[in-house]
């Protein structure tokens, strides 16, 4: 499904007449009442006023938000890929065709392809503290990416091991390394059921949980305020019977949900917005990439938040493809990205890898998925970033996670091999970023 298609040429033409000087990927905000989804459930699982969307557009200078400016093409290292000022094209609901991002003519790295696209798109990787002890890892990570998510070092257990006592060292190392390489950072993750410190198990009652949540969000966002302005505010709030997103979707019974009900999501975003009025605030989840019950449930949950005026800016589709998560093709992903963007939100691919263990995904399917899924995001100006969950196969989290069916073998899930050489998966991703 490679597509240098007529549709693309047409949209590129439309962009040349309509979207090269302005951008309009979804700003968010919003107001409005109503309730959301509900329900309680059991068990656990692994994983994760608006204004119009649409409008491809401009870029920014180095270090800026990549589409906050109205200047024309070129790169902007570390920029936010799509924060709009004025838009030219509405991507939603109207009769005008959706705008499409214009690829660079050429690029020598994924990062360069993202920076030279119009509007730019952030190219990210999950970075581990351990990885930064390896010079080859650091070299590839900085050369190919301009967006960093700490793989574990900014989770609750790492940052607040004791109530009200914060430990910043490992996270600061990653954030400072990213900034010294002109990369943006997405804080991951403020409110999540997993990797919580033990002391949280003894919390009881709504007031105590709310107080702990507020203290954590305020302290963490406050500490990183001038260095991190993208946040996964709530991660993986929805559960299904299977990790593939099928069966009985419901709110996950976490310490937060059990004490506060579904309103904990609204509250978390409101606290985050109070703490930083300009930060990008995201909801992030796994197995909402395919067309399945979980994707539908999360869509309704997010729609309710937007309608209530909850200050959410976007949704990250994690994109862990293959065991134990869902398998999704480019068209499935395009469908889900589009419907979230049509709520006036930014969208991101936030944790992409494609697991080959168990042969659920063949080698050739993996190449097709990498190309087509990246393409599905790339063509949408509202899709502001693509993050891969790691750098090289040897360090993938999948290798040692029992339900990933790797049993210690390589998941072959990423873009670089153990010697940090580019794999064919890399070439297919670069193709998609260059519109090939
Ligand atoms: O740091 C300890 C180490 O001291 C200990 O010796 C070792 C023994 O098991 O464990 C180490 O901690 C591990 C940690 O990764 C750091 O390597 C944990 O056991 C392990 O569970 C943890 O896994 C992380 C997982 O989240 C936890 O849920 C993965 O690295 C990380 O890639 C993964 O990331 C999540 C995203 O945050 C949310 N979306 C899903 C994604 C994949 O599960």
């Amino acid at each position: 499904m490679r597509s240098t298609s007529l549709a693309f040429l047409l949209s590129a033409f439309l962009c040349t007449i309509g979207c090269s000087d302005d951008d309009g990927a979804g700003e968010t905000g919003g107001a409005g009442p109503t309730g959301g989804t509900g329900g309680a459930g059991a068990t656990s699982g692994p994983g994760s006023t608006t204004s119009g969307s649409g409008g491809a557009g401009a870029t920014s200078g180095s270090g800026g938000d990549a589409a906050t400016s109205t200047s024309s093409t070129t790169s902007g290292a570390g920029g936010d890929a799509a924060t709009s000022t004025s838009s030219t094209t509405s991507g939603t609901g109207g009769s005008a065709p959706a705008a499409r991002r214009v690829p660079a003519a050429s690029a020598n790295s994924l990062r360069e392809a993202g920076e030279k696209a119009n509007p730019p798109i952030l190219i990210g990787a999950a970075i581990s503290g351990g990885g930064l002890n390896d010079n080859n890892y650091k070299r590839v990570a900085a050369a190919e990416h301009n967006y960093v998510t700490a793989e574990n070092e900014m989770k609750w257990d790492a940052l607040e091991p004791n109530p009200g006592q914060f430990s910043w060292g490992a996270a600061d190392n990653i954030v400072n390394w990213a900034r010294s390489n002109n990369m943006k950072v997405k804080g991951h993750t403020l409110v999540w059921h997993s990797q919580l410190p033990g002391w949280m198990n003894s919390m009881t009652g709504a007031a105590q949980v709310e107080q702990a949540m507020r203290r954590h969000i305020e302290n963490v966002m406050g500490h990183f305020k001038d260095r991190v302005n993208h946040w996964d505010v709530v991660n993986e709030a929805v559960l299904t019977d299977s990790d593939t997103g099928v069966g009985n979707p419901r709110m996950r019974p976490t310490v937060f949900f059990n004490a506060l009900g579904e309103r904990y999501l609204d509250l978390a975003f409101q606290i985050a917005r109070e703490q930083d009025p300009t930060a990008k605030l995201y909801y992030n989840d796994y197995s909402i990439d395919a067309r399945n019950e979980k994707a539908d449930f999360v869509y309704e949950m997010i729609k309710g938040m937007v309608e209530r005026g909850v200050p959410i800016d976007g949704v990250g589709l994690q994109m862990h493809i293959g065991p134990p998560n869902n398998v999704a093709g480019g068209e499935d992903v395009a469908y889900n990205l589009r419907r979230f963007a049509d709520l006036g939100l930014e969208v991101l691919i936030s944790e992409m890898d494609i697991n080959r263990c168990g042969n659920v995904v063949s080698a050739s399917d993996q190449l097709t998925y990498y190309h087509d899924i990246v393409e599905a995001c790339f063509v949408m100006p509202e899709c502001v970033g693509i993050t891969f969950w790691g750098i090289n196969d040897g360090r993938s989290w999948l290798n040692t996670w029992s339900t990933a069916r790797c049993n210690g073998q390589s998941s072959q899930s990423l873009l670089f091999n153990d010697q940090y050489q580019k794999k064919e998966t890399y070439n297919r991703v670069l193709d998609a970023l260059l519109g090939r």
Side-chain angles (χ1 to χ4, degrees):
M1 272 206 277
R2 298 178 68 166
S3 60
T4 305
S5 61
L6 270 179
F8 175 75
L9 293 172
L10 174 63
S11 63
F13 169 71
L14 287 172
C15 258
T16 63
I17 60 173
C19 59
S20 60
D21 287 336
D22 307 290
D23 76 276
E27 275 284 311
T28 59
T34 72
T37 49
T43 72
S44 67
S48 158
T49 10
T50 58
S51 57
S53 58
T59 52
S60 71
S62 166
D65 278 356
T68 44
S69 76
T70 51
S71 59
S72 55
T73 337
T74 69
S75 66
D80 258 2
T83 314
S84 67
T85 46
S86 60
S87 67
T88 51
T89 314
S90 159
T92 63
S95 53
R100 287 168 72 104
R101 176 175 277 111
V102 179
S106 64
N108 292 316
S109 67
L110 305 179
R111 174 179 183 152
E112 186 184 358
E115 289 170 352
K116 284 184 168 174
N118 188 9
I121 182 168
L122 293 163
I123 305 297
I127 296 297
S128 66
L132 293 186
N133 295 324
D134 176 339
N135 285 335
N136 284 322
Y137 177 101
K138 281 197 288 194
R139 176 179 52 77
V140 170
E144 298 287 346
H145 310 86
N146 59 3
Y147 196 32
V148 165
T149 306
E151 187 171 359
N152 288 296
E153 291 77 359
M154 294 177 81
K155 293 172 179 174
W156 199 312
D157 62 352
L159 293 183
E160 193 183 356
N162 297 300
Q165 270 182 17
F166 293 85
S167 172
W168 307 116
D172 277 342
N173 277 348
I174 291 183
V175 170
N176 294 340
W177 173 82
R179 285 171 53 81
S180 70
N181 286 284
N182 205 15
M183 303 158 100
K184 289 187 80 71
V185 178
K186 174 147 69 79
H188 173 85
T189 172
L190 292 169
V191 178
W192 187 30
H193 67 280
S194 182
Q195 289 174 281
L196 293 174
W199 61 264
M200 293 189 71
N201 296 327
S202 58
M203 285 192 304
T204 51
Q208 211 180 346
V209 172
E210 179 173 340
Q211 186 199 36
M213 195 168 79
R214 182 176 293 278
R215 179 180 61 203
H216 187 76
I217 294 173
E218 288 179 352
N219 277 278
V220 173
M221 289 184 74
H223 178 79
F224 294 105
K225 187 149 194 170
D226 297 322
R227 296 177 289 160
V228 178
N229 62 356
H230 289 197
W231 290 95
D232 285 333
V233 177
V234 177
N235 196 39
E236 302 175 4
V238 172
L239 184 64
T240 51
D241 289 344
S242 136
D243 286 334
T244 59
V246 174
N248 190 22
R250 57 200 182 271
M251 297 306 296
R252 186 188 296 273
T254 65
V255 62
F256 309 103
F257 179 80
N258 294 343
L260 298 166
E262 192 178 343
R263 78 181 176 91
Y264 88 84
L265 280 96
D266 296 15
L267 195 56
F269 280 90
Q270 283 154 1
I271 296 167
R273 176 57 74 232
E274 285 163 21
Q275 183 61 35
D276 189 341
T278 63
K280 292 290 183 186
L281 305 179
Y282 299 125
Y283 176 78
N284 191 49
D285 215 332
Y286 64 91
S287 288
I288 55 170
D289 326 301
R291 298 193 192 207
N292 60 37
E293 292 163 289
K294 180 171 179 179
D296 292 345
F297 188 91
V298 169
Y299 172 77
E300 292 299 332
M301 181 185 83
I302 298 295
K303 182 163 173 276
M305 292 170 70
V306 170
E307 288 170 354
R308 289 195 295 282
V310 175
I312 177 172
D313 291 299
V315 177
L317 280 66
Q318 290 186 6
M319 215 61 64
H320 295 293
I321 302 295
N325 296 120
N326 64 188
V327 174
E331 289 178 5
D332 304 314
V333 172
Y335 171 83
N336 281 311
L337 291 173
R338 172 47 56 201
R339 64 172 162 169
F340 284 118
D342 283 352
L343 295 173
L345 299 173
E346 295 180 358
V347 286
L348 306 92
I349 291 178
S350 55
E351 304 187 8
M352 187 170 192
D353 49 24
I354 304 183
N355 184 13
R356 294 244 22 252
C357 293
N359 255 329
V360 174
V361 177
S362 71
S364 77
D365 283 350
Q366 187 193 45
L367 297 178
T368 303
Y369 292 148
Y370 257 121
H371 177 274
D372 292 355
I373 292 171
V374 168
E375 178 185 59
C377 167
F378 180 80
V379 297
M380 287 177 59
E382 302 96 326
C383 198
V384 299
I386 302 171
T387 290
F388 302 97
W389 205 243
I391 301 290
N392 59 321
D393 287 347
R395 289 181 182 274
S396 167
W397 68 287
L398 291 160
N399 302 349
T400 52
W401 190 33
S402 58
T403 47
R405 302 194 206 171
C406 293
N407 304 317
Q409 301 297 305
S410 171
S411 57
Q412 303 171 64
S413 56
L414 290 165
L415 308 188
F416 295 87
N417 69 16
D418 293 351
Q419 288 71 47
Y420 295 97
Q421 290 161 330
K422 296 169 183 170
K423 295 167 52 185
E424 189 56 22
T425 47
Y426 175 98
N427 296 330
R428 301 310 307 277
V429 167
L430 186 60
D431 282 345
L433 296 176
L434 292 174
R436 306 190 293 227

Short mmCIF file of all heavy atoms in Angstrom, two decimals, residues 157-204:
data_model
loop_
_atom_site.label_atom_id
_atom_site.label_comp_id
_atom_site.label_asym_id
_atom_site.label_seq_id
_atom_site.Cartn_x
_atom_site.Cartn_y
_atom_site.Cartn_z
N ASP A 157 6.57 6.08 40.43
CA ASP A 157 7.45 5.41 41.39
C ASP A 157 8.87 5.95 41.33
O ASP A 157 9.59 5.97 42.33
CB ASP A 157 7.43 3.88 41.22
CG ASP A 157 7.91 3.41 39.85
OD1 ASP A 157 8.14 4.25 38.96
OD2 ASP A 157 8.05 2.17 39.68
N ALA A 158 9.28 6.39 40.14
CA ALA A 158 10.63 6.94 40.01
C ALA A 158 10.71 8.35 40.60
O ALA A 158 11.72 8.71 41.21
CB ALA A 158 11.03 6.97 38.54
N LEU A 159 9.66 9.13 40.43
CA LEU A 159 9.73 10.55 40.83
C LEU A 159 9.30 10.81 42.27
O LEU A 159 9.80 11.74 42.88
CB LEU A 159 8.88 11.41 39.88
CG LEU A 159 9.36 11.51 38.44
CD1 LEU A 159 8.46 12.46 37.65
CD2 LEU A 159 10.81 11.98 38.36
N GLU A 160 8.36 10.02 42.77
CA GLU A 160 7.86 10.29 44.14
C GLU A 160 7.83 8.98 44.93
O GLU A 160 6.77 8.45 45.27
CB GLU A 160 6.46 10.93 44.09
CG GLU A 160 6.04 11.53 45.43
CD GLU A 160 4.60 12.10 45.42
OE1 GLU A 160 3.96 12.11 44.35
OE2 GLU A 160 4.14 12.51 46.51
N PRO A 161 9.02 8.45 45.24
CA PRO A 161 9.08 7.14 45.90
C PRO A 161 8.46 7.15 47.30
O PRO A 161 7.98 6.13 47.77
CB PRO A 161 10.58 6.85 45.96
CG PRO A 161 11.26 8.16 45.78
CD PRO A 161 10.35 8.99 44.94
N ASN A 162 8.48 8.31 47.94
CA ASN A 162 7.83 8.46 49.25
C ASN A 162 6.89 9.66 49.15
O ASN A 162 7.15 10.59 48.38
CB ASN A 162 8.88 8.71 50.34
CG ASN A 162 9.81 7.51 50.48
OD1 ASN A 162 9.36 6.40 50.76
ND2 ASN A 162 11.09 7.74 50.24
N PRO A 163 5.82 9.65 49.94
CA PRO A 163 4.84 10.71 49.80
C PRO A 163 5.45 12.10 50.00
O PRO A 163 6.05 12.38 51.03
CB PRO A 163 3.81 10.41 50.90
CG PRO A 163 4.26 9.19 51.60
CD PRO A 163 5.47 8.66 50.96
N GLY A 164 5.32 12.90 48.94
CA GLY A 164 5.81 14.28 49.03
C GLY A 164 7.31 14.43 48.94
O GLY A 164 7.84 15.53 49.03
N GLN A 165 8.02 13.31 48.72
CA GLN A 165 9.49 13.36 48.57
C GLN A 165 9.85 13.01 47.15
O GLN A 165 9.54 11.90 46.69
CB GLN A 165 10.16 12.34 49.48
CG GLN A 165 10.48 12.88 50.84
CD GLN A 165 11.18 11.81 51.69
OE1 GLN A 165 11.69 10.83 51.18
NE2 GLN A 165 11.16 12.02 52.99
N PHE A 166 10.50 13.90 46.48
CA PHE A 166 10.72 13.71 45.05
C PHE A 166 12.17 13.41 44.74
O PHE A 166 13.08 13.87 45.43
CB PHE A 166 10.22 14.94 44.29
CG PHE A 166 8.72 15.08 44.38
CD1 PHE A 166 8.13 15.71 45.46
CD2 PHE A 166 7.90 14.51 43.42
CE1 PHE A 166 6.74 15.80 45.57
CE2 PHE A 166 6.52 14.59 43.52
CZ PHE A 166 5.94 15.24 44.60
N SER A 167 12.35 12.62 43.69
CA SER A 167 13.66 12.17 43.30
C SER A 167 13.82 12.49 41.80
O SER A 167 13.23 11.83 40.96
CB SER A 167 13.75 10.66 43.55
OG SER A 167 14.92 10.14 43.03
N TRP A 168 14.61 13.51 41.51
CA TRP A 168 14.62 14.02 40.13
C TRP A 168 15.81 13.54 39.30
O TRP A 168 15.83 13.75 38.07
CB TRP A 168 14.66 15.56 40.15
CG TRP A 168 13.61 16.23 40.96
CD1 TRP A 168 13.80 17.00 42.07
CD2 TRP A 168 12.19 16.22 40.73
NE1 TRP A 168 12.59 17.47 42.54
CE2 TRP A 168 11.58 17.00 41.73
CE3 TRP A 168 11.37 15.62 39.77
CZ2 TRP A 168 10.21 17.21 41.81
CZ3 TRP A 168 10.00 15.82 39.85
CH2 TRP A 168 9.43 16.61 40.86
N GLY A 169 16.81 12.96 39.90
CA GLY A 169 18.10 12.75 39.24
C GLY A 169 18.03 12.05 37.89
O GLY A 169 18.52 12.56 36.88
N ALA A 170 17.40 10.86 37.86
CA ALA A 170 17.39 10.07 36.62
C ALA A 170 16.59 10.79 35.53
O ALA A 170 16.97 10.79 34.35
CB ALA A 170 16.79 8.69 36.88
N ALA A 171 15.50 11.42 35.93
CA ALA A 171 14.68 12.14 34.94
C ALA A 171 15.42 13.38 34.44
O ALA A 171 15.42 13.67 33.23
CB ALA A 171 13.35 12.52 35.56
N ASP A 172 16.05 14.09 35.35
CA ASP A 172 16.81 15.28 34.93
C ASP A 172 17.89 14.91 33.93
O ASP A 172 18.14 15.65 32.97
CB ASP A 172 17.46 15.95 36.15
CG ASP A 172 16.49 16.88 36.89
OD1 ASP A 172 15.45 17.27 36.30
OD2 ASP A 172 16.77 17.21 38.05
N ASN A 173 18.55 13.77 34.14
CA ASN A 173 19.60 13.35 33.20
C ASN A 173 19.05 13.24 31.79
O ASN A 173 19.66 13.69 30.81
CB ASN A 173 20.14 11.97 33.58
CG ASN A 173 21.19 12.07 34.66
OD1 ASN A 173 21.66 13.17 34.96
ND2 ASN A 173 21.53 10.93 35.23
N ILE A 174 17.88 12.60 31.67
CA ILE A 174 17.31 12.40 30.32
C ILE A 174 16.84 13.73 29.74
O ILE A 174 17.12 14.06 28.58
CB ILE A 174 16.15 11.38 30.39
CG1 ILE A 174 16.73 9.99 30.70
CG2 ILE A 174 15.36 11.37 29.08
CD1 ILE A 174 15.71 8.88 30.73
N VAL A 175 16.15 14.52 30.55
CA VAL A 175 15.63 15.79 30.05
C VAL A 175 16.78 16.71 29.63
O VAL A 175 16.74 17.33 28.57
CB VAL A 175 14.74 16.46 31.13
CG1 VAL A 175 14.37 17.88 30.74
CG2 VAL A 175 13.47 15.62 31.36
N ASN A 176 17.83 16.76 30.44
CA ASN A 176 18.94 17.65 30.10
C ASN A 176 19.71 17.16 28.88
O ASN A 176 20.15 17.96 28.04
CB ASN A 176 19.87 17.83 31.31
CG ASN A 176 19.16 18.56 32.44
OD1 ASN A 176 18.16 19.25 32.21
ND2 ASN A 176 19.65 18.42 33.66
N TRP A 177 19.84 15.84 28.77
CA TRP A 177 20.49 15.30 27.56
C TRP A 177 19.66 15.66 26.32
O TRP A 177 20.21 16.08 25.30
CB TRP A 177 20.63 13.77 27.67
CG TRP A 177 21.13 13.16 26.40
CD1 TRP A 177 22.43 13.08 25.97
CD2 TRP A 177 20.33 12.58 25.36
NE1 TRP A 177 22.49 12.49 24.73
CE2 TRP A 177 21.22 12.17 24.33
CE3 TRP A 177 18.96 12.37 25.19
CZ2 TRP A 177 20.77 11.56 23.15
CZ3 TRP A 177 18.52 11.76 24.01
CH2 TRP A 177 19.41 11.36 23.02
N ALA A 178 18.35 15.49 26.43
CA ALA A 178 17.48 15.81 25.28
C ALA A 178 17.63 17.27 24.89
O ALA A 178 17.81 17.61 23.71
CB ALA A 178 16.02 15.50 25.64
N ARG A 179 17.59 18.13 25.86
CA ARG A 179 17.65 19.56 25.55
C ARG A 179 19.02 19.95 24.99
O ARG A 179 19.11 20.79 24.11
CB ARG A 179 17.31 20.37 26.79
CG ARG A 179 15.80 20.33 27.08
CD ARG A 179 15.47 20.93 28.42
NE ARG A 179 16.02 22.27 28.59
CZ ARG A 179 15.47 23.39 28.10
NH1 ARG A 179 14.35 23.31 27.42
NH2 ARG A 179 16.03 24.55 28.31
N SER A 180 20.06 19.28 25.44
CA SER A 180 21.38 19.60 24.90
C SER A 180 21.52 19.13 23.46
O SER A 180 22.41 19.56 22.74
CB SER A 180 22.49 18.99 25.78
OG SER A 180 22.49 17.59 25.63
N ASN A 181 20.61 18.28 23.03
CA ASN A 181 20.59 17.84 21.63
C ASN A 181 19.42 18.45 20.87
O ASN A 181 19.02 17.94 19.82
CB ASN A 181 20.54 16.31 21.56
CG ASN A 181 21.88 15.69 21.91
OD1 ASN A 181 22.80 15.70 21.11
ND2 ASN A 181 22.00 15.19 23.13
N ASN A 182 18.90 19.53 21.42
CA ASN A 182 17.81 20.27 20.76
C ASN A 182 16.60 19.38 20.48
O ASN A 182 16.01 19.42 19.39
CB ASN A 182 18.34 20.91 19.47
CG ASN A 182 17.53 22.12 19.07
OD1 ASN A 182 16.76 22.65 19.87
ND2 ASN A 182 17.65 22.53 17.83
N MET A 183 16.26 18.57 21.45
CA MET A 183 15.09 17.69 21.34
C MET A 183 14.03 18.14 22.34
O MET A 183 14.37 18.57 23.44
CB MET A 183 15.49 16.23 21.66
CG MET A 183 16.61 15.71 20.79
SD MET A 183 17.49 14.32 21.55
CE MET A 183 16.72 12.94 20.70
N LYS A 184 12.79 18.00 21.97
CA LYS A 184 11.71 18.27 22.92
C LYS A 184 11.47 17.03 23.78
O LYS A 184 11.85 15.92 23.39
CB LYS A 184 10.41 18.62 22.18
CG LYS A 184 10.47 19.98 21.51
CD LYS A 184 9.14 20.37 20.95
CE LYS A 184 8.21 20.90 21.99
NZ LYS A 184 8.59 22.21 22.50
N VAL A 185 10.78 17.23 24.90
CA VAL A 185 10.50 16.10 25.80
C VAL A 185 9.00 16.04 26.08
O VAL A 185 8.37 17.07 26.31
CB VAL A 185 11.25 16.26 27.14
CG1 VAL A 185 10.91 15.12 28.09
CG2 VAL A 185 12.76 16.34 26.90
N LYS A 186 8.47 14.82 26.05
CA LYS A 186 7.09 14.61 26.53
C LYS A 186 7.18 13.91 27.89
O LYS A 186 7.77 12.83 28.01
CB LYS A 186 6.29 13.76 25.55
CG LYS A 186 4.88 13.40 26.09
CD LYS A 186 3.83 13.31 24.99
CE LYS A 186 4.01 12.14 24.07
NZ LYS A 186 3.54 10.85 24.63
N GLY A 187 6.61 14.54 28.90
CA GLY A 187 6.60 13.93 30.23
C GLY A 187 5.67 12.74 30.26
O GLY A 187 4.53 12.84 29.85
N HIS A 188 6.17 11.62 30.77
CA HIS A 188 5.41 10.36 30.73
C HIS A 188 5.65 9.63 32.04
O HIS A 188 6.76 9.23 32.29
CB HIS A 188 5.90 9.54 29.54
CG HIS A 188 5.34 8.16 29.46
ND1 HIS A 188 4.13 7.90 28.88
CD2 HIS A 188 5.82 6.96 29.86
CE1 HIS A 188 3.88 6.60 28.93
NE2 HIS A 188 4.90 6.00 29.52
N THR A 189 4.65 9.46 32.86
CA THR A 189 3.30 9.87 32.66
C THR A 189 2.74 10.25 34.02
O THR A 189 3.13 9.66 35.02
CB THR A 189 2.48 8.73 32.01
OG1 THR A 189 1.09 9.06 31.98
CG2 THR A 189 2.63 7.43 32.75
N LEU A 190 1.88 11.26 34.09
CA LEU A 190 1.50 11.79 35.40
C LEU A 190 0.58 10.85 36.18
O LEU A 190 0.79 10.61 37.36
CB LEU A 190 0.84 13.17 35.21
CG LEU A 190 1.81 14.27 34.72
CD1 LEU A 190 1.03 15.51 34.30
CD2 LEU A 190 2.83 14.61 35.80
N VAL A 191 -0.46 10.36 35.55
CA VAL A 191 -1.47 9.54 36.26
C VAL A 191 -1.65 8.21 35.52
O VAL A 191 -2.17 8.19 34.40
CB VAL A 191 -2.80 10.30 36.37
CG1 VAL A 191 -3.86 9.44 37.07
CG2 VAL A 191 -2.61 11.62 37.14
N TRP A 192 -1.16 7.16 36.13
CA TRP A 192 -1.20 5.83 35.52
C TRP A 192 -1.32 4.80 36.63
O TRP A 192 -0.78 5.00 37.73
CB TRP A 192 0.10 5.61 34.72
CG TRP A 192 0.17 4.37 33.88
CD1 TRP A 192 -0.86 3.72 33.28
CD2 TRP A 192 1.37 3.65 33.54
NE1 TRP A 192 -0.38 2.64 32.57
CE2 TRP A 192 0.98 2.58 32.71
CE3 TRP A 192 2.73 3.81 33.84
CZ2 TRP A 192 1.90 1.66 32.19
CZ3 TRP A 192 3.64 2.91 33.32
CH2 TRP A 192 3.22 1.85 32.50
N HIS A 193 -1.99 3.68 36.35
CA HIS A 193 -2.18 2.67 37.39
C HIS A 193 -0.92 1.87 37.66
O HIS A 193 -0.79 1.21 38.70
CB HIS A 193 -3.29 1.69 36.97
CG HIS A 193 -2.90 0.86 35.79
ND1 HIS A 193 -2.97 1.32 34.50
CD2 HIS A 193 -2.42 -0.41 35.71
CE1 HIS A 193 -2.56 0.38 33.68
NE2 HIS A 193 -2.22 -0.68 34.38
N SER A 194 0.02 1.89 36.71
CA SER A 194 1.18 1.00 36.81
C SER A 194 2.40 1.80 37.30
O SER A 194 2.45 3.02 37.18
CB SER A 194 1.46 0.41 35.44
OG SER A 194 2.55 -0.48 35.50
N GLN A 195 3.38 1.08 37.80
CA GLN A 195 4.60 1.70 38.31
C GLN A 195 4.29 2.81 39.32
O GLN A 195 4.85 3.91 39.25
CB GLN A 195 5.48 2.18 37.14
CG GLN A 195 6.07 0.98 36.40
CD GLN A 195 6.85 1.34 35.14
OE1 GLN A 195 6.26 1.59 34.11
NE2 GLN A 195 8.16 1.38 35.25
N LEU A 196 3.39 2.49 40.23
CA LEU A 196 3.09 3.36 41.35
C LEU A 196 3.90 2.90 42.56
O LEU A 196 4.13 1.70 42.73
CB LEU A 196 1.60 3.30 41.70
CG LEU A 196 0.62 3.87 40.66
CD1 LEU A 196 -0.82 3.61 41.08
CD2 LEU A 196 0.86 5.36 40.45
N PRO A 197 4.32 3.83 43.41
CA PRO A 197 5.05 3.41 44.62
C PRO A 197 4.12 2.70 45.59
O PRO A 197 2.90 2.94 45.60
CB PRO A 197 5.54 4.74 45.20
CG PRO A 197 4.64 5.78 44.63
CD PRO A 197 4.15 5.28 43.30
N GLY A 198 4.69 1.83 46.39
CA GLY A 198 3.89 1.01 47.32
C GLY A 198 3.02 1.82 48.25
O GLY A 198 1.91 1.40 48.61
N TRP A 199 3.52 2.99 48.68
CA TRP A 199 2.76 3.77 49.67
C TRP A 199 1.38 4.16 49.15
O TRP A 199 0.48 4.42 49.95
CB TRP A 199 3.54 5.00 50.12
CG TRP A 199 3.89 6.00 49.05
CD1 TRP A 199 5.06 6.08 48.36
CD2 TRP A 199 3.07 7.08 48.57
NE1 TRP A 199 5.03 7.13 47.47
CE2 TRP A 199 3.81 7.77 47.58
CE3 TRP A 199 1.79 7.53 48.86
CZ2 TRP A 199 3.33 8.88 46.89
CZ3 TRP A 199 1.29 8.64 48.17
CH2 TRP A 199 2.04 9.30 47.20
N MET A 200 1.20 4.16 47.85
CA MET A 200 -0.11 4.58 47.33
C MET A 200 -1.20 3.55 47.61
O MET A 200 -2.39 3.87 47.59
CB MET A 200 -0.02 4.89 45.84
CG MET A 200 0.86 6.11 45.59
SD MET A 200 0.81 6.67 43.91
CE MET A 200 -0.83 7.35 43.79
N ASN A 201 -0.77 2.30 47.86
CA ASN A 201 -1.77 1.27 48.15
C ASN A 201 -2.52 1.52 49.45
O ASN A 201 -3.61 1.01 49.66
CB ASN A 201 -1.10 -0.11 48.25
CG ASN A 201 -0.50 -0.51 46.93
OD1 ASN A 201 -1.05 -0.16 45.88
ND2 ASN A 201 0.62 -1.21 46.97
N SER A 202 -1.89 2.29 50.34
CA SER A 202 -2.54 2.49 51.64
C SER A 202 -3.43 3.74 51.66
O SER A 202 -3.97 4.09 52.70
CB SER A 202 -1.48 2.55 52.74
OG SER A 202 -0.60 3.61 52.46
N MET A 203 -3.55 4.39 50.54
CA MET A 203 -4.41 5.58 50.52
C MET A 203 -5.87 5.16 50.56
O MET A 203 -6.28 4.19 49.92
CB MET A 203 -4.18 6.39 49.25
CG MET A 203 -2.89 7.18 49.27
SD MET A 203 -2.82 8.37 47.94
CE MET A 203 -3.08 7.35 46.54
N THR A 204 -6.64 5.91 51.28
CA THR A 204 -8.08 5.61 51.32
C THR A 204 -8.87 6.92 51.18
O THR A 204 -8.46 7.96 51.69
CB THR A 204 -8.49 4.97 52.66
OG1 THR A 204 -7.99 5.80 53.72
CG2 THR A 204 -7.97 3.57 52.79
#
